[in-house]
Structure formats: structure tokens, C-alpha cells
């Protein structure tokens, strides 16, 4: 059972700002990890409770939500939350 991946507008902008190398790494993580086992990410707490996070690079994170009823993962962010 594979989940489909959807991007918010903000996540799509984040992806465009990533280097080509990180874009490729993101694609591989989405296809080979998140689409197959979205619960493999770290569950977030506080304001982001209900979302999951997975490391993209030392500084960048993938933040997403899981919709089991539709088998969809919605990518919320794909960059750092430490500022630019």
C-alpha cells in the first residue's frame, strides 16, 4: 500500500528553493520512505501536533501530515525552520 504525495503551495515554493542535489534527495525520500511508511517520521508536538517530520539535510526538514482515509501524505514544508 503506497501513499500518494501532495504538496501545499508553501511546500512547492520550498522545493523550488532547494539545491538540485537536495531536490533529488527529497524525491528519493518521498518515494522510498514516506510513500511506503509515512509513520516512519518523527511525530511532532506542540503547535505541530498531528504532523510528522523527517530530516532532509543537517538543517532542512520535511514536515507532513498523513491522511489514512485517502492514502495521501500532504507535504507542508521542505526547508529549514531555523531561518534563512
Amino acid at each position: 500500500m503506497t501513499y500518494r504525495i501532495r504538496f501545499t503551495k508553501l511546500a512547492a515554493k520550498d522545493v523550488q528553493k532547494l539545491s538540485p542535489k537536495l531536490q533529488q534527495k527529497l524525491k528519493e525520500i518521498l518515494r522510498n520512505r514516506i510513500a511506503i511508511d509515512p509513520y516512519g517520521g518523527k511525530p511532532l508536538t506542540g503547535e505541530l501536533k498531528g504532523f510528522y517530520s523527517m530530516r532532509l539535510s543537517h538543517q532542512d526538514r520535511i514536515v507532513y501530515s498523513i491522511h489514512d482515509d485517502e492514502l495521501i501524505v500532504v507535504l507542508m514544508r521542505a526547508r529549514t525552520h531555523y531561518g534563512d
Side-chain angles (χ1 to χ4, degrees):
M1 169 168 62
T2 302
Y3 285 72
R4 291 178 290 154
I5 307 291
R6 298 286 181 256
F7 293 79
T8 62
K9 287 182 181 182
L10 187 56
K13 286 182 182 181
D14 287 347
V15 171
Q16 290 176 349
K17 294 177 184 177
L18 293 172
S19 69
K21 183 178 179 181
L22 281 180
Q23 287 180 7
Q24 183 61 35
K25 184 175 180 181
L26 173 64
K27 190 183 297 185
E28 290 172 12
I29 290 171
L30 291 175
R31 283 185 183 159
N32 301 325
R33 294 177 67 187
I34 293 176
I36 295 167
D37 179 21
Y39 291 99
K42 176 184 175 185
L44 299 177
T45 59
E47 289 181 18
L48 295 176
K49 185 174 180 158
F51 293 94
Y52 289 78
S53 174
M54 193 169 285
R55 185 179 294 273
L56 179 59
S57 69
H58 173 70
Q59 187 173 342
D60 298 311
R61 305 284 186 277
I62 303 164
V63 177
Y64 60 94
S65 62
I66 304 167
H67 302 272
D68 283 322
D69 54 332
E70 303 174 66
L71 294 179
I72 293 176
V73 169
V74 178
L75 204 70
M76 308 304 285
R77 295 300 310 257
R79 290 194 72 207
T80 183
H81 58 85
Y82 300 114
D84 294 298

